[in-house]
Amino acid sequence: KAGVTQTPRYLIKTRGQQVTLSCSPISGHRSVSWYQQTPGQGLQFLFEYFSETQRNKGNFPGRFSGRQFSNSRSEMNVSTLELGDSALYLCASSVGQGSYEQYFGPGTRLTVT
Amino acid sequence: GESVGLHLPTLSVQEGDNSIINCAYSNSASDYFIWYKQESGKGPQFIIDIRSNMDKRQGQRVTVLLNKTVKHLSLQIAATQPGDSAVYFCAENAWRDDKIIFGKGTRLHILP
């Protein structure tokens, strides 16, 4: 069974631009969570989607948004990029709602210049 | 700030010895704890979990211990191997909050 895939793996953007990252969960997994990982703050929860609905959201500004499609694939969008948004963005999938055995993708490394 | 923290940012262990990675948490409502391993260039990998109604859980070469009295969690790795070199994160979840909160991580170095 294929693992969680994320595209693109690397991205360079300039301040003020917006970016969309994509995540394909493991087949049969319906829950997708997004995390931001930085050296200073570590792994921080962004949001979780289940059956195309946002179930939970972390403490991030409204510039960070996401969605989930009927095939469970998910995208996250960051608008008006700031230098501090440079990070590794990780997607994790799990079987269903309330299941915390999450499987992570390799992440998308975003650099904002 | 995060309620989950780690005592040591870096741990060096001789190959073949046992490793013990510690974690403190402050949210007494947390009822589920997880350990993850993250190798360079990869996403975190689930190792083992434990619910608050247990004190100990064993997996293959790993044991997680939970001490609710002092809000302490530890991961024991038996007979540490070079492939165990990674950053290890503990994470917690409180069912009311329904979010997983990660600690900062401990880097495990294996000495030859």
Side-chain angles (χ1 to χ4, degrees):
Chain A
K1 190 183 276 191
V4 177
T5 57
Q6 293 187 244
T7 57
R9 291 293 310 278
Y10 303 91
L11 204 50
I12 300 175
K13 291 283 189 179
T14 56
R15 276 180 298 175
Q17 288 187 311
Q18 66 93 26
V19 67
T20 299
L21 311 181
S22 181
C23 171
S24 292
I26 291 172
S27 177
H29 285 194
R30 296 172 62 195
S31 177
V32 173
S33 297
W34 287 90
Y35 295 85
Q36 181 195 66
Q37 186 174 31
T38 60
Q41 297 298 317
L43 268 161
Q44 292 187 292
F45 173 78
L46 279 157
F47 26 67
E48 180 191 2
Y49 286 87
F50 177 78
S51 293
E52 302 178 65
T53 302
Q54 188 179 88
R55 286 191 61 236
N56 223 330
K57 192 176 190 307
N59 297 324
F60 279 82
R63 301 185 296 107
F64 291 81
S65 63
R67 59 177 176 169
Q68 186 181 34
F69 302 95
S70 58
N71 62 358
S72 295
R73 190 177 70 84
S74 178
E75 290 180 346
M76 68 162 281
N77 184 277
V78 187
S79 62
T80 320
L81 283 165
E82 300 177 0
L83 294 178
D85 297 333
S86 294
L88 181 68
Y89 289 88
L90 291 156
C91 162
S93 76
S94 58
V95 171
Q97 195 169 347
S99 170
Y100 298 111
E101 188 167 338
Q102 297 185 326
Y103 295 83
F104 281 81
T108 294
R109 172 73 64 184
L110 173 65
T111 301
V112 182
T113 61
Chain B
E2 294 179 355
S3 65
V4 177
L6 292 162
H7 294 303
L8 298 172
T10 306
L11 178 65
S12 295
V13 175
Q14 203 77 36
E15 182 179 346
D17 287 352
N18 296 336
S19 302
I20 300 176
I21 302 171
N22 296 303
C23 176
Y25 66 95
S26 58
N27 186 357
S28 58
S30 292
D31 59 357
Y32 180 70
F33 304 88
I34 315 139
W35 280 100
Y36 287 91
K37 171 187 180 183
Q38 186 173 23
E39 297 174 277
S40 182
K42 298 182 180 180
Q45 176 187 0
F46 175 95
I47 301 172
I48 192 168
D49 59 1
I50 189 168
R51 294 205 174 271
S52 59
N53 60 352
M54 301 172 69
D55 297 323
K56 179 180 179 179
R57 190 164 187 222
Q58 288 184 292
Q60 188 176 12
R61 277 202 311 119
V62 295
T63 301
V64 56
L65 299 176
L66 176 63
N67 186 331
K68 295 181 286 293
T69 303
V70 295
K71 297 189 183 69
H72 185 267
L73 190 69
S74 69
L75 176 71
Q76 299 178 1
I77 304 173
T80 310
Q81 302 169 358
D84 295 328
S85 288
V87 176
Y88 290 81
F89 295 95
C90 66
E92 65 173 312
N93 172 265
W95 70 268
R96 286 191 195 87
D97 197 24
D98 209 22
K99 298 175 191 174
I100 292 181
I101 306 297
F102 282 80
K104 294 292 187 187
T106 293
R107 182 173 298 280
L108 180 62
H109 284 295
I110 311 304
L111 303 170

Short mmCIF file of all heavy atoms in Angstrom, two decimals, chain B residues 4 6 9 14 17 20 22-23 32 40 45 47 49 54 58 60 62 68 74 79-81 83 85 88 90 97 102-103:
data_model
loop_
_atom_site.label_atom_id
_atom_site.label_comp_id
_atom_site.label_asym_id
_atom_site.label_seq_id
_atom_site.Cartn_x
_atom_site.Cartn_y
_atom_site.Cartn_z
N VAL B 4 3.67 19.93 26.32
CA VAL B 4 4.54 18.77 26.32
C VAL B 4 5.98 19.23 26.15
O VAL B 4 6.29 19.97 25.24
CB VAL B 4 4.17 17.81 25.18
CG1 VAL B 4 5.12 16.64 25.13
CG2 VAL B 4 2.74 17.33 25.37
N LEU B 6 10.44 18.16 26.74
CA LEU B 6 11.42 17.09 26.85
C LEU B 6 12.55 17.55 27.74
O LEU B 6 12.95 18.71 27.74
CB LEU B 6 11.95 16.71 25.47
CG LEU B 6 10.93 16.05 24.57
CD1 LEU B 6 11.36 16.11 23.14
CD2 LEU B 6 10.67 14.63 24.99
N PRO B 9 17.58 17.76 25.02
CA PRO B 9 17.47 17.92 23.59
C PRO B 9 18.31 16.91 22.81
O PRO B 9 17.98 16.58 21.69
CB PRO B 9 17.98 19.33 23.36
CG PRO B 9 18.87 19.63 24.52
CD PRO B 9 18.31 18.88 25.67
N GLN B 14 25.75 4.46 23.52
CA GLN B 14 26.62 3.47 22.89
C GLN B 14 25.76 2.41 22.19
O GLN B 14 24.72 1.96 22.73
CB GLN B 14 27.46 2.80 23.97
CG GLN B 14 28.75 2.18 23.48
CD GLN B 14 29.83 3.22 23.22
OE1 GLN B 14 29.94 4.21 23.94
NE2 GLN B 14 30.62 3.00 22.19
N ASP B 17 23.65 -0.53 23.86
CA ASP B 17 23.09 -0.17 25.17
C ASP B 17 21.60 0.16 25.02
O ASP B 17 21.09 0.31 23.91
CB ASP B 17 23.81 1.04 25.75
CG ASP B 17 25.21 0.70 26.24
OD1 ASP B 17 25.55 -0.51 26.26
OD2 ASP B 17 25.95 1.63 26.59
N ILE B 20 17.01 5.65 26.96
CA ILE B 20 15.80 6.11 27.65
C ILE B 20 15.59 7.58 27.31
O ILE B 20 16.43 8.43 27.60
CB ILE B 20 15.89 5.94 29.17
CG1 ILE B 20 16.10 4.47 29.53
CG2 ILE B 20 14.61 6.48 29.83
CD1 ILE B 20 16.30 4.23 31.01
N ASN B 22 13.07 10.81 27.77
CA ASN B 22 12.07 11.26 28.72
C ASN B 22 11.23 12.41 28.18
O ASN B 22 11.65 13.17 27.31
CB ASN B 22 12.73 11.70 30.02
CG ASN B 22 13.42 10.55 30.70
OD1 ASN B 22 12.80 9.54 31.01
ND2 ASN B 22 14.72 10.70 30.94
N CYS B 23 10.05 12.53 28.76
CA CYS B 23 9.12 13.57 28.34
C CYS B 23 8.24 13.95 29.52
O CYS B 23 7.78 13.08 30.26
CB CYS B 23 8.28 13.04 27.18
SG CYS B 23 6.99 14.13 26.59
N TYR B 32 -4.02 10.28 26.21
CA TYR B 32 -3.44 9.45 25.16
C TYR B 32 -2.09 10.03 24.78
O TYR B 32 -1.96 11.24 24.58
CB TYR B 32 -4.38 9.45 23.94
CG TYR B 32 -3.91 8.63 22.77
CD1 TYR B 32 -3.89 7.24 22.82
CD2 TYR B 32 -3.50 9.25 21.60
CE1 TYR B 32 -3.47 6.49 21.74
CE2 TYR B 32 -3.07 8.52 20.52
CZ TYR B 32 -3.06 7.13 20.59
OH TYR B 32 -2.65 6.39 19.52
N SER B 40 16.13 11.97 9.32
CA SER B 40 16.45 13.11 8.49
C SER B 40 15.78 13.01 7.12
O SER B 40 15.88 11.98 6.45
CB SER B 40 17.97 13.21 8.33
OG SER B 40 18.32 14.33 7.55
N GLN B 45 7.44 9.07 12.21
CA GLN B 45 6.94 7.70 12.09
C GLN B 45 6.41 7.24 13.44
O GLN B 45 7.11 7.35 14.46
CB GLN B 45 8.08 6.79 11.63
CG GLN B 45 7.72 5.32 11.55
CD GLN B 45 8.94 4.47 11.24
OE1 GLN B 45 10.04 4.97 11.08
NE2 GLN B 45 8.76 3.17 11.16
N ILE B 47 5.69 5.16 16.55
CA ILE B 47 6.43 4.06 17.19
C ILE B 47 5.51 3.25 18.09
O ILE B 47 5.34 2.05 17.93
CB ILE B 47 7.60 4.59 18.04
CG1 ILE B 47 8.57 5.41 17.21
CG2 ILE B 47 8.34 3.43 18.71
CD1 ILE B 47 9.63 6.10 18.05
N ASP B 49 2.11 3.82 21.27
CA ASP B 49 1.22 4.72 21.99
C ASP B 49 0.79 4.09 23.31
O ASP B 49 1.00 2.89 23.55
CB ASP B 49 0.00 5.10 21.14
CG ASP B 49 -0.83 3.88 20.71
OD1 ASP B 49 -0.47 2.74 21.08
OD2 ASP B 49 -1.83 4.07 20.00
N MET B 54 -3.19 2.93 31.39
CA MET B 54 -2.10 1.97 31.43
C MET B 54 -0.85 2.65 31.98
O MET B 54 -0.69 3.87 31.87
CB MET B 54 -1.80 1.43 30.03
CG MET B 54 -2.97 0.74 29.37
SD MET B 54 -2.62 0.33 27.65
CE MET B 54 -1.39 -0.96 27.86
N GLN B 58 4.51 -2.43 25.80
CA GLN B 58 5.72 -2.89 25.12
C GLN B 58 5.46 -3.16 23.66
O GLN B 58 4.40 -3.64 23.27
CB GLN B 58 6.25 -4.16 25.80
CG GLN B 58 6.86 -3.90 27.17
CD GLN B 58 7.46 -5.15 27.78
OE1 GLN B 58 6.72 -6.06 28.13
NE2 GLN B 58 8.77 -5.19 27.90
N GLN B 60 8.06 -3.90 19.86
CA GLN B 60 9.28 -4.58 19.46
C GLN B 60 10.48 -3.72 19.82
O GLN B 60 10.69 -2.66 19.24
CB GLN B 60 9.26 -4.84 17.95
CG GLN B 60 10.40 -5.72 17.47
CD GLN B 60 10.29 -6.02 15.99
OE1 GLN B 60 9.51 -5.42 15.26
NE2 GLN B 60 11.06 -6.98 15.53
N VAL B 62 10.88 -1.67 22.02
CA VAL B 62 10.52 -0.41 22.67
C VAL B 62 9.50 -0.64 23.78
O VAL B 62 8.66 -1.54 23.68
CB VAL B 62 9.98 0.63 21.66
CG1 VAL B 62 11.05 1.03 20.67
CG2 VAL B 62 8.74 0.11 20.95
N LYS B 68 1.54 8.90 35.74
CA LYS B 68 0.56 9.99 35.79
C LYS B 68 0.73 10.84 37.04
O LYS B 68 0.35 12.01 37.05
CB LYS B 68 -0.85 9.41 35.71
CG LYS B 68 -1.14 8.74 34.38
CD LYS B 68 -2.54 8.20 34.32
CE LYS B 68 -2.72 6.95 35.16
NZ LYS B 68 -1.95 5.79 34.62
N SER B 74 8.13 8.08 29.29
CA SER B 74 9.46 7.73 28.80
C SER B 74 9.37 6.66 27.72
O SER B 74 8.43 5.86 27.69
CB SER B 74 10.37 7.24 29.93
OG SER B 74 9.92 5.99 30.42
N ALA B 79 18.79 -2.41 23.31
CA ALA B 79 19.86 -2.78 22.38
C ALA B 79 19.90 -1.82 21.20
O ALA B 79 19.70 -2.21 20.04
CB ALA B 79 19.68 -4.21 21.90
N THR B 80 20.17 -0.55 21.50
CA THR B 80 20.13 0.51 20.50
C THR B 80 21.02 0.20 19.30
O THR B 80 22.16 -0.25 19.45
CB THR B 80 20.55 1.84 21.14
OG1 THR B 80 19.81 2.03 22.34
CG2 THR B 80 20.25 2.99 20.21
N GLN B 81 20.47 0.45 18.12
CA GLN B 81 21.17 0.16 16.87
C GLN B 81 21.41 1.46 16.09
O GLN B 81 20.73 2.47 16.34
CB GLN B 81 20.29 -0.77 16.01
CG GLN B 81 19.94 -2.07 16.68
CD GLN B 81 18.87 -2.84 15.91
OE1 GLN B 81 18.35 -2.39 14.88
NE2 GLN B 81 18.53 -4.01 16.41
N GLY B 83 20.45 2.34 13.30
CA GLY B 83 19.21 2.77 12.66
C GLY B 83 18.25 3.48 13.59
O GLY B 83 17.25 4.04 13.14
N SER B 85 19.13 6.09 15.23
CA SER B 85 19.49 7.51 15.20
C SER B 85 18.38 8.32 14.55
O SER B 85 18.01 8.07 13.39
CB SER B 85 20.78 7.71 14.41
OG SER B 85 21.89 7.23 15.11
N TYR B 88 13.29 11.98 18.34
CA TYR B 88 12.12 11.33 18.92
C TYR B 88 11.22 12.38 19.55
O TYR B 88 11.68 13.23 20.31
CB TYR B 88 12.55 10.28 19.96
CG TYR B 88 13.20 9.10 19.31
CD1 TYR B 88 14.54 9.14 18.92
CD2 TYR B 88 12.47 7.95 19.03
CE1 TYR B 88 15.14 8.06 18.30
CE2 TYR B 88 13.05 6.86 18.41
CZ TYR B 88 14.39 6.92 18.05
OH TYR B 88 14.98 5.85 17.41
N CYS B 90 7.60 13.06 21.72
CA CYS B 90 6.42 12.58 22.42
C CYS B 90 5.27 13.52 22.05
O CYS B 90 5.49 14.67 21.68
CB CYS B 90 6.62 12.53 23.92
SG CYS B 90 6.85 14.13 24.71
N ASP B 97 -10.02 18.09 23.90
CA ASP B 97 -9.37 19.03 22.98
C ASP B 97 -9.26 18.42 21.59
O ASP B 97 -9.34 19.13 20.60
CB ASP B 97 -7.98 19.36 23.53
CG ASP B 97 -7.42 20.60 22.87
OD1 ASP B 97 -8.20 21.43 22.39
OD2 ASP B 97 -6.20 20.74 22.84
N PHE B 102 2.63 18.11 20.11
CA PHE B 102 3.95 17.49 20.07
C PHE B 102 4.93 18.21 20.98
O PHE B 102 4.87 19.44 21.13
CB PHE B 102 4.51 17.53 18.64
CG PHE B 102 3.94 16.49 17.72
CD1 PHE B 102 2.71 16.68 17.13
CD2 PHE B 102 4.66 15.33 17.45
CE1 PHE B 102 2.18 15.72 16.27
CE2 PHE B 102 4.14 14.37 16.59
CZ PHE B 102 2.90 14.57 16.01
N GLY B 103 5.86 17.46 21.56
CA GLY B 103 6.98 18.03 22.27
C GLY B 103 8.03 18.50 21.28
O GLY B 103 7.90 18.31 20.07
#
